[in-house]
Coordinates of all heavy atoms in Angstrom, one line a residue:
M1 N -0.6 -17.8 -27.4 CA -0.8 -16.6 -26.7 C -0.3 -16.6 -25.3 O -0.1 -15.5 -24.7 CB -2.3 -16.1 -26.7 CG -2.7 -15.6 -28.0 SD -2.1 -13.9 -28.2 CE -1.5 -14.0 -29.9
I2 N -0.1 -17.7 -24.7 CA 0.4 -17.8 -23.4 C 1.8 -17.2 -23.2 O 2.0 -16.4 -22.3 CB 0.4 -19.2 -22.8 CG1 -1.1 -19.7 -22.6 CG2 1.1 -19.4 -21.5 CD1 -1.3 -21.1 -22.2
P3 N 2.8 -17.5 -24.1 CA 4.0 -16.8 -24.0 C 4.0 -15.3 -24.2 O 4.7 -14.5 -23.4 CB 4.9 -17.4 -25.1 CG 4.2 -18.7 -25.4 CD 2.7 -18.5 -25.1
V4 N 3.1 -14.8 -25.0 CA 2.9 -13.4 -25.2 C 2.3 -12.8 -23.9 O 2.7 -11.7 -23.4 CB 2.0 -13.1 -26.4 CG1 1.7 -11.7 -26.5 CG2 2.7 -13.6 -27.6
A5 N 1.3 -13.5 -23.3 CA 0.7 -13.0 -22.1 C 1.6 -13.0 -20.9 O 1.5 -12.1 -20.0 CB -0.6 -13.8 -21.8
L6 N 2.5 -14.0 -20.8 CA 3.4 -14.0 -19.7 C 4.4 -12.9 -19.8 O 4.9 -12.4 -18.7 CB 4.1 -15.4 -19.6 CG 3.2 -16.5 -19.3 CD1 4.0 -17.8 -19.3 CD2 2.6 -16.3 -17.9
G7 N 4.8 -12.5 -21.0 CA 5.6 -11.3 -21.2 C 7.1 -11.4 -20.9 O 7.6 -10.7 -20.0
F8 N 7.7 -12.4 -21.5 CA 9.2 -12.6 -21.4 C 9.8 -12.0 -22.7 O 9.3 -12.1 -23.7 CB 9.6 -14.1 -21.3 CG 9.0 -14.7 -20.1 CD1 8.2 -15.8 -20.1 CD2 9.4 -14.2 -18.8 CE1 7.7 -16.4 -19.0 CE2 9.0 -14.9 -17.7 CZ 8.1 -15.9 -17.7
G9 N 11.0 -11.4 -22.5 CA 11.7 -10.9 -23.6 C 11.5 -9.4 -23.8 O 10.9 -8.7 -23.1
E10 N 12.2 -9.0 -25.0 CA 12.2 -7.6 -25.3 C 10.8 -7.1 -25.8 O 10.2 -7.8 -26.7 CB 13.2 -7.4 -26.4 CG 13.5 -5.9 -26.7 CD 14.7 -5.8 -27.6 OE1 15.7 -6.5 -27.5 OE2 14.5 -4.9 -28.5
G11 N 10.3 -6.0 -25.4 CA 9.0 -5.5 -25.7 C 7.8 -6.2 -25.1 O 6.7 -6.1 -25.6
A12 N 8.1 -7.0 -24.1 CA 7.0 -7.8 -23.5 C 6.0 -6.9 -22.7 O 4.8 -7.2 -22.7 CB 7.6 -8.8 -22.4
D13 N 6.5 -5.7 -22.3 CA 5.5 -4.8 -21.6 C 4.5 -4.3 -22.6 O 3.4 -4.0 -22.1 CB 6.3 -3.7 -21.0 CG 7.2 -4.0 -19.9 OD1 7.0 -5.1 -19.3 OD2 8.1 -3.3 -19.6
F14 N 4.8 -4.2 -23.9 CA 3.9 -3.7 -24.8 C 2.9 -4.8 -25.3 O 1.7 -4.6 -25.6 CB 4.7 -3.2 -26.0 CG 3.9 -2.6 -27.1 CD1 3.1 -1.4 -27.0 CD2 3.8 -3.3 -28.3 CE1 2.3 -1.0 -28.0 CE2 3.0 -2.9 -29.4 CZ 2.3 -1.7 -29.2
R15 N 3.4 -6.1 -25.4 CA 2.6 -7.1 -26.0 C 1.8 -7.9 -24.9 O 0.8 -8.6 -25.3 CB 3.5 -8.1 -26.8 CG 4.1 -7.5 -28.0 CD 4.8 -8.6 -28.8 NE 5.9 -9.0 -27.9 CZ 7.1 -9.2 -28.3 NH1 7.5 -9.0 -29.5 NH2 8.1 -9.7 -27.5
S16 N 2.2 -7.9 -23.7 CA 1.5 -8.8 -22.7 C 0.0 -8.4 -22.5 O -0.8 -9.4 -22.3 CB 2.2 -8.8 -21.4 OG 2.3 -7.6 -20.8
P17 N -0.4 -7.2 -22.5 CA -1.8 -6.9 -22.4 C -2.7 -7.4 -23.5 O -3.8 -7.9 -23.4 CB -1.9 -5.3 -22.3 CG -0.5 -4.9 -21.8 CD 0.4 -5.9 -22.4
L18 N -2.0 -7.4 -24.7 CA -2.7 -7.9 -25.9 C -2.9 -9.4 -25.7 O -4.0 -10.0 -26.1 CB -1.9 -7.7 -27.2 CG -2.5 -8.2 -28.5 CD1 -3.8 -7.6 -28.8 CD2 -1.5 -8.1 -29.6
G19 N -1.9 -10.2 -25.3 CA -2.0 -11.6 -25.1 C -3.1 -11.9 -24.0 O -3.9 -12.9 -24.2
R20 N -3.1 -11.2 -23.0 CA -4.2 -11.4 -21.9 C -5.6 -11.1 -22.5 O -6.5 -11.9 -22.2 CB -3.9 -10.6 -20.7 CG -2.7 -11.1 -19.9 CD -2.6 -10.4 -18.6 NE -2.3 -9.0 -18.7 CZ -1.2 -8.4 -18.5 NH1 -0.2 -9.1 -18.0 NH2 -1.0 -7.1 -18.7
A21 N -5.7 -10.1 -23.2 CA -7.0 -9.8 -23.8 C -7.5 -10.9 -24.8 O -8.7 -11.2 -24.8 CB -7.0 -8.5 -24.5
V22 N -6.5 -11.4 -25.6 CA -6.9 -12.5 -26.5 C -7.3 -13.7 -25.8 O -8.3 -14.3 -26.2 CB -5.8 -12.7 -27.6 CG1 -6.0 -14.0 -28.4 CG2 -5.6 -11.5 -28.4
I23 N -6.6 -14.1 -24.8 CA -6.9 -15.3 -24.0 C -8.2 -15.1 -23.3 O -9.1 -16.0 -23.3 CB -5.8 -15.6 -23.0 CG1 -4.5 -16.1 -23.7 CG2 -6.2 -16.6 -22.0 CD1 -3.3 -16.2 -22.8
G24 N -8.4 -14.0 -22.7 CA -9.8 -13.7 -22.1 C -11.0 -13.7 -23.1 O -12.0 -14.2 -22.8
G25 N -10.7 -13.2 -24.3 CA -11.8 -13.2 -25.3 C -12.1 -14.6 -25.8 O -13.2 -14.9 -26.0
V26 N -11.0 -15.4 -26.0 CA -11.3 -16.8 -26.4 C -12.1 -17.6 -25.3 O -13.0 -18.3 -25.7 CB -9.9 -17.5 -26.8 CG1 -10.1 -19.0 -27.0 CG2 -9.4 -16.9 -28.0
I27 N -11.6 -17.4 -24.1 CA -12.3 -18.2 -23.0 C -13.8 -17.7 -22.9 O -14.7 -18.5 -22.8 CB -11.6 -18.0 -21.7 CG1 -10.2 -18.7 -21.8 CG2 -12.4 -18.5 -20.5 CD1 -9.3 -18.5 -20.6
S28 N -14.0 -16.4 -22.9 CA -15.4 -15.9 -22.7 C -16.3 -16.2 -23.9 O -17.4 -16.6 -23.7 CB -15.4 -14.4 -22.5 OG -14.9 -13.7 -23.6
S29 N -15.7 -16.2 -25.1 CA -16.5 -16.5 -26.3 C -16.9 -18.1 -26.3 O -17.9 -18.5 -26.7 CB -15.8 -16.2 -27.6 OG -14.7 -16.9 -27.8
T30 N -15.9 -18.9 -25.8 CA -16.2 -20.3 -25.7 C -17.3 -20.6 -24.7 O -18.2 -21.4 -25.0 CB -14.9 -21.1 -25.3 OG1 -13.9 -20.8 -26.3 CG2 -15.1 -22.5 -25.2
V31 N -17.2 -20.0 -23.6 CA -18.2 -20.2 -22.5 C -19.6 -19.6 -23.1 O -20.7 -20.3 -22.9 CB -17.9 -19.4 -21.2 CG1 -19.0 -19.4 -20.2 CG2 -16.7 -20.1 -20.6
L32 N -19.6 -18.5 -23.7 CA -20.9 -18.0 -24.2 C -21.4 -18.9 -25.3 O -22.7 -19.3 -25.3 CB -20.7 -16.6 -24.8 CG -20.7 -15.5 -23.9 CD1 -20.2 -14.2 -24.6 CD2 -22.0 -15.3 -23.2
T33 N -20.6 -19.4 -26.2 CA -21.0 -20.3 -27.3 C -21.5 -21.6 -26.8 O -22.5 -22.1 -27.3 CB -20.0 -20.4 -28.3 OG1 -19.5 -19.1 -28.8 CG2 -20.4 -21.2 -29.5
L34 N -20.8 -22.2 -25.9 CA -21.2 -23.6 -25.5 C -22.1 -23.7 -24.3 O -22.8 -24.7 -24.2 CB -19.8 -24.3 -25.1 CG -18.9 -24.5 -26.3 CD1 -17.6 -25.2 -25.8 CD2 -19.5 -25.3 -27.4
L35 N -22.2 -22.7 -23.5 CA -23.1 -22.8 -22.3 C -24.2 -21.8 -22.3 O -25.4 -22.2 -22.1 CB -22.2 -22.7 -21.0 CG -21.2 -23.7 -20.8 CD1 -20.4 -23.3 -19.6 CD2 -21.8 -25.1 -20.7
V36 N -23.9 -20.5 -22.4 CA -24.9 -19.5 -22.2 C -26.0 -19.4 -23.3 O -27.2 -19.5 -23.0 CB -24.3 -18.1 -21.9 CG1 -25.2 -17.0 -21.8 CG2 -23.3 -18.2 -20.7
I37 N -25.5 -19.3 -24.5 CA -26.5 -19.3 -25.6 C -27.4 -20.5 -25.8 O -28.6 -20.3 -25.9 CB -25.7 -19.0 -27.0 CG1 -24.9 -17.7 -26.9 CG2 -26.6 -19.0 -28.2 CD1 -25.7 -16.5 -26.7
P38 N -26.9 -21.7 -25.7 CA -27.9 -22.8 -25.7 C -28.8 -22.9 -24.5 O -30.0 -23.2 -24.8 CB -27.0 -24.1 -25.7 CG -25.7 -23.6 -26.2 CD -25.5 -22.2 -25.8
T39 N -28.4 -22.5 -23.4 CA -29.2 -22.4 -22.2 C -30.3 -21.3 -22.4 O -31.5 -21.6 -22.1 CB -28.5 -22.1 -21.0 OG1 -27.5 -23.1 -20.8 CG2 -29.3 -22.1 -19.7
F40 N -29.9 -20.2 -22.9 CA -30.9 -19.1 -23.1 C -31.9 -19.5 -24.2 O -33.1 -19.3 -24.0 CB -30.1 -17.9 -23.5 CG -31.0 -16.7 -23.7 CD1 -31.6 -16.0 -22.5 CD2 -31.2 -16.1 -24.9 CE1 -32.4 -14.9 -22.7 CE2 -32.0 -15.0 -25.1 CZ -32.6 -14.4 -24.0
Y41 N -31.4 -20.2 -25.2 CA -32.4 -20.6 -26.3 C -33.3 -21.7 -25.8 O -34.5 -21.6 -26.1 CB -31.5 -21.3 -27.4 CG -32.4 -21.9 -28.5 CD1 -33.1 -21.0 -29.4 CD2 -32.7 -23.2 -28.6 CE1 -33.8 -21.5 -30.4 CE2 -33.5 -23.7 -29.5 CZ -34.1 -22.9 -30.4 OH -34.9 -23.4 -31.4
E42 N -32.9 -22.6 -24.9 CA -33.7 -23.6 -24.4 C -34.8 -23.0 -23.5 O -36.0 -23.4 -23.5 CB -32.9 -24.6 -23.6 CG -33.7 -25.8 -23.1 CD -34.1 -26.7 -24.3 OE1 -33.4 -26.7 -25.3 OE2 -35.1 -27.4 -24.1
I43 N -34.5 -22.0 -22.7 CA -35.4 -21.3 -21.8 C -36.4 -20.6 -22.7 O -37.6 -20.7 -22.4 CB -34.7 -20.3 -20.9 CG1 -33.9 -21.1 -19.8 CG2 -35.7 -19.4 -20.2 CD1 -32.9 -20.2 -19.0
L44 N -36.0 -19.9 -23.7 CA -37.0 -19.2 -24.6 C -37.9 -20.2 -25.3 O -39.1 -19.9 -25.5 CB -36.3 -18.3 -25.6 CG -35.6 -17.0 -25.1 CD1 -34.9 -16.3 -26.2 CD2 -36.6 -16.2 -24.4
D45 N -37.4 -21.3 -25.8 CA -38.1 -22.3 -26.5 C -39.2 -22.9 -25.6 O -40.3 -23.1 -26.0 CB -37.2 -23.4 -27.1 CG -37.9 -24.3 -28.0 OD1 -38.7 -23.8 -28.9 OD2 -37.7 -25.5 -28.0
E46 N -38.8 -23.3 -24.3 CA -39.8 -23.8 -23.4 C -40.9 -22.8 -23.1 O -42.0 -23.2 -22.9 CB -39.1 -24.4 -22.2 CG -38.3 -25.6 -22.4 CD -37.5 -26.1 -21.2 OE1 -37.7 -25.4 -20.1 OE2 -36.8 -27.0 -21.3
G47 N -40.5 -21.6 -22.9 CA -41.5 -20.5 -22.6 C -42.4 -20.4 -23.8 O -43.6 -20.1 -23.5
R48 N -41.9 -20.4 -25.0 CA -42.8 -20.3 -26.1 C -43.8 -21.5 -26.2 O -45.0 -21.2 -26.5 CB -42.0 -20.2 -27.4 CG -42.7 -19.9 -28.7 CD -41.8 -19.9 -29.9 NE -42.4 -21.0 -30.6 CZ -41.7 -22.1 -31.1 NH1 -40.5 -22.2 -31.0 NH2 -42.4 -23.0 -31.7
E49 N -43.3 -22.6 -26.0 CA -44.2 -23.8 -26.0 C -45.2 -23.7 -25.0 O -46.4 -24.1 -25.2 CB -43.4 -25.1 -25.9 CG -42.5 -25.4 -27.1 CD -41.7 -26.7 -26.9 OE1 -41.9 -27.3 -25.8 OE2 -40.9 -26.9 -27.7
W50 N -44.8 -23.3 -23.8 CA -45.8 -23.1 -22.7 C -46.9 -22.1 -23.0 O -48.1 -22.3 -22.8 CB -45.1 -22.7 -21.4 CG -46.0 -22.5 -20.2 CD1 -46.4 -23.4 -19.4 CD2 -46.5 -21.2 -19.8 NE1 -47.2 -22.8 -18.4 CE2 -47.3 -21.5 -18.6 CE3 -46.3 -19.9 -20.3 CZ2 -47.9 -20.6 -17.9 CZ3 -47.0 -18.9 -19.5 CH2 -47.8 -19.2 -18.4
L51 N -46.4 -21.0 -23.6 CA -47.4 -19.9 -23.9 C -48.3 -20.4 -25.0 O -49.5 -20.1 -24.9 CB -46.6 -18.7 -24.4 CG -47.4 -17.4 -24.7 CD1 -48.2 -16.9 -23.5 CD2 -46.5 -16.4 -25.3
L52 N -47.8 -21.0 -26.0 CA -48.7 -21.5 -27.1 C -49.6 -22.6 -26.7 O -50.8 -22.6 -27.1 CB -47.8 -22.1 -28.3 CG -47.0 -21.0 -29.1 CD1 -46.2 -21.7 -30.2 CD2 -48.0 -20.1 -29.8
S53 N -49.2 -23.4 -25.8 CA -50.2 -24.5 -25.2 C -51.3 -23.8 -24.5 O -52.4 -24.2 -24.6 CB -49.4 -25.5 -24.4 OG -49.0 -24.9 -23.2
H54 N -51.0 -22.8 -23.7 CA -52.0 -22.1 -22.9 C -52.9 -21.3 -23.8 O -54.1 -21.2 -23.6 CB -51.4 -21.2 -21.8 CG -50.9 -22.0 -20.6 ND1 -51.8 -22.5 -19.7 CD2 -49.7 -22.3 -20.2 CE1 -51.1 -23.2 -18.8 NE2 -49.8 -23.0 -19.1
L55 N -52.4 -20.7 -24.8 CA -53.2 -19.9 -25.8 C -54.1 -20.9 -26.5 O -55.3 -20.6 -26.8 CB -52.4 -19.1 -26.7 CG -51.7 -17.9 -26.2 CD1 -50.8 -17.3 -27.2 CD2 -52.7 -16.9 -25.7
R56 N -53.6 -22.0 -27.0 CA -54.5 -23.0 -27.7 C -55.6 -23.6 -26.8 O -56.7 -23.8 -27.2 CB -53.6 -24.1 -28.2 CG -52.8 -23.7 -29.4 CD -52.0 -24.9 -29.9 NE -51.1 -24.5 -30.9 CZ -49.8 -24.8 -31.0 NH1 -49.3 -25.7 -30.2 NH2 -49.0 -24.3 -32.0
R57 N -55.2 -23.8 -25.5 CA -56.2 -24.3 -24.6 C -57.3 -23.3 -24.4 O -58.5 -23.6 -24.3 CB -55.5 -24.7 -23.3 CG -56.5 -25.4 -22.3 CD -55.8 -25.8 -21.0 NE -54.4 -26.3 -21.2 CZ -53.5 -26.3 -20.3 NH1 -53.8 -25.6 -19.1 NH2 -52.3 -26.7 -20.5
G58 N -57.0 -22.1 -24.3 CA -58.0 -21.0 -24.1 C -58.9 -20.8 -25.3 O -60.0 -20.6 -25.2
E59 N -58.3 -21.0 -26.5 CA -59.1 -20.9 -27.8 C -60.1 -22.0 -27.9 O -61.2 -21.8 -28.3 CB -58.2 -20.9 -29.0 CG -57.4 -19.6 -29.2 CD -56.5 -19.7 -30.4 OE1 -56.5 -20.7 -31.1 OE2 -55.9 -18.7 -30.7
S60 N -59.7 -23.2 -27.5 CA -60.5 -24.4 -27.7 C -61.8 -24.3 -26.8 O -62.8 -24.8 -27.1 CB -59.7 -25.7 -27.5 OG -59.3 -25.8 -26.2
T61 N -61.6 -23.8 -25.6 CA -62.7 -23.8 -24.6 C -63.6 -22.5 -24.9 O -64.8 -22.6 -24.7 CB -62.2 -23.7 -23.2 OG1 -61.4 -22.6 -23.0 CG2 -61.5 -25.0 -22.9
S62 N -63.0 -21.4 -25.4 CA -63.9 -20.2 -25.6 C -64.5 -20.2 -27.0 O -65.6 -19.6 -27.1 CB -63.0 -19.0 -25.4 OG -62.1 -18.9 -26.4
V63 N -64.0 -20.8 -27.9 CA -64.5 -20.7 -29.3 C -65.7 -21.7 -29.5 O -66.7 -21.4 -30.0 CB -63.4 -20.9 -30.4 CG1 -64.0 -21.0 -31.8 CG2 -62.4 -19.9 -30.4
M64 N -65.4 -22.9 -29.0 CA -66.5 -23.9 -29.2 C -67.4 -23.9 -28.0 O -66.9 -24.2 -26.9 CB -65.8 -25.3 -29.3 CG -64.9 -25.4 -30.6 SD -63.8 -26.8 -30.8 CE -64.6 -28.1 -29.8
A65 N -68.6 -23.6 -28.2 CA -69.6 -23.7 -27.1 C -70.1 -25.1 -26.9 O -70.7 -25.7 -27.8 CB -70.8 -22.7 -27.4
R66 N -69.7 -25.7 -25.8 CA -70.1 -27.1 -25.6 C -71.4 -27.1 -24.8 O -71.6 -26.4 -23.8 CB -69.0 -27.7 -24.8 CG -67.7 -27.8 -25.5 CD -66.6 -28.5 -24.7 NE -65.4 -28.4 -25.3 CZ -64.2 -28.8 -24.8 NH1 -64.2 -29.2 -23.5 NH2 -63.1 -28.8 -25.5
P67 N -72.3 -27.9 -25.3 CA -73.6 -28.1 -24.5 C -73.4 -28.8 -23.2 O -72.5 -29.6 -23.1 CB -74.5 -28.9 -25.4 CG -73.6 -29.6 -26.3 CD -72.3 -28.7 -26.5
R68 N -74.1 -28.3 -22.2 CA -73.9 -28.9 -20.9 C -74.7 -30.2 -20.9 O -75.8 -30.3 -21.4 CB -74.4 -28.0 -19.8 CG -73.4 -26.7 -19.7 CD -73.9 -25.8 -18.7 NE -73.9 -26.5 -17.4 CZ -74.2 -25.9 -16.3 NH1 -74.5 -24.6 -16.3 NH2 -74.2 -26.5 -15.1
A69 N -74.2 -31.2 -20.1 CA -74.9 -32.5 -20.0 C -76.3 -32.4 -19.3 O -77.2 -33.0 -19.7 CB -74.0 -33.5 -19.3
D70 N -76.3 -31.6 -18.3 CA -77.6 -31.5 -17.5 C -78.7 -30.7 -18.3 O -79.9 -30.9 -18.2 CB -77.4 -30.8 -16.2 CG -76.8 -29.5 -16.3 OD1 -76.4 -29.0 -17.4 OD2 -76.6 -28.8 -15.2
A71 N -78.3 -29.8 -19.3 CA -79.3 -29.1 -20.1 C -79.8 -30.1 -21.1 O -81.0 -30.0 -21.4 CB -78.6 -27.9 -20.8
S72 N -79.1 -31.0 -21.6 CA -79.6 -31.9 -22.6 C -80.6 -32.9 -22.0 O -81.5 -33.4 -22.6 CB -78.5 -32.6 -23.4 OG -77.7 -33.4 -22.5
L73 N -80.3 -33.3 -20.7 CA -81.1 -34.2 -20.0 C -82.5 -33.5 -19.6 O -83.5 -34.3 -19.6 CB -80.5 -34.7 -18.7 CG -79.3 -35.6 -18.9 CD1 -78.6 -35.9 -17.6 CD2 -79.6 -36.8 -19.7
R74 N -82.5 -32.2 -19.4 CA -83.8 -31.6 -19.1 C -84.8 -31.6 -20.2 O -86.0 -31.7 -20.0 CB -83.5 -30.2 -18.6 CG -83.2 -30.1 -17.1 CD -83.1 -28.6 -16.6 NE -81.6 -28.3 -16.6 CZ -81.2 -27.2 -16.9 NH1 -81.9 -26.1 -17.1 NH2 -79.9 -26.9 -16.8
G75 N -84.2 -31.5 -21.5 CA -85.1 -31.4 -22.6 C -85.6 -32.8 -23.0 O -86.6 -32.9 -23.7
A76 N -85.1 -33.9 -22.5 CA -85.5 -35.2 -22.9 C -86.7 -35.7 -22.2 O -87.3 -35.4 -21.3 CB -84.4 -36.2 -22.8

C-alpha cells in the first residue's frame, strides 16, 4: 500500500487517499488489538476481582454472627 499511498503514476490522485486510509486502518487496528484491548481487559478483570473480594468479605462478616470473646468469659 505504500506505493499506492505515495501516489506515483497515472491515476495516483484517485488512489492515494485509499492507500493512506488502508495504512491508517492497519496501524490503528494493530495498536487496538495488541495494546488497548488487552489493557482494558486487564483493568476490568482486576476491578471485578477487587469487587468480588470486597463483597465476599462483607458477606462473611455480616452473615455469620460471631460470639464475642468477652461475652463468653462473663458467662463462665
Side-chain angles (χ1 to χ4, degrees):
M1 283 285 134
I2 292 175
V4 175
L6 293 177
F8 296 120
E10 192 174 318
D13 293 339
F14 179 71
R15 290 185 300 225
S16 64
L18 176 66
R20 288 190 295 253
V22 169
I23 290 172
V26 168
I27 291 172
S28 64
S29 66
T30 301
V31 168
L32 282 172
T33 302
L34 295 178
L35 298 175
V36 175
I37 300 297
T39 303
F40 186 68
Y41 175 79
E42 189 68 28
I43 291 170
L44 287 179
D45 190 44
E46 289 176 6
R48 191 186 111 233
E49 289 176 7
W50 178 83
L51 182 63
L52 289 176
S53 70
H54 282 287
L55 288 176
R56 286 184 189 133
R57 189 180 316 155
E59 286 178 0
S60 65
T61 57
S62 64
V63 172
M64 297 171 24
R66 297 180 184 171
R68 293 180 58 177
D70 57 357
S72 62
L73 292 176
R74 276 188 259 150

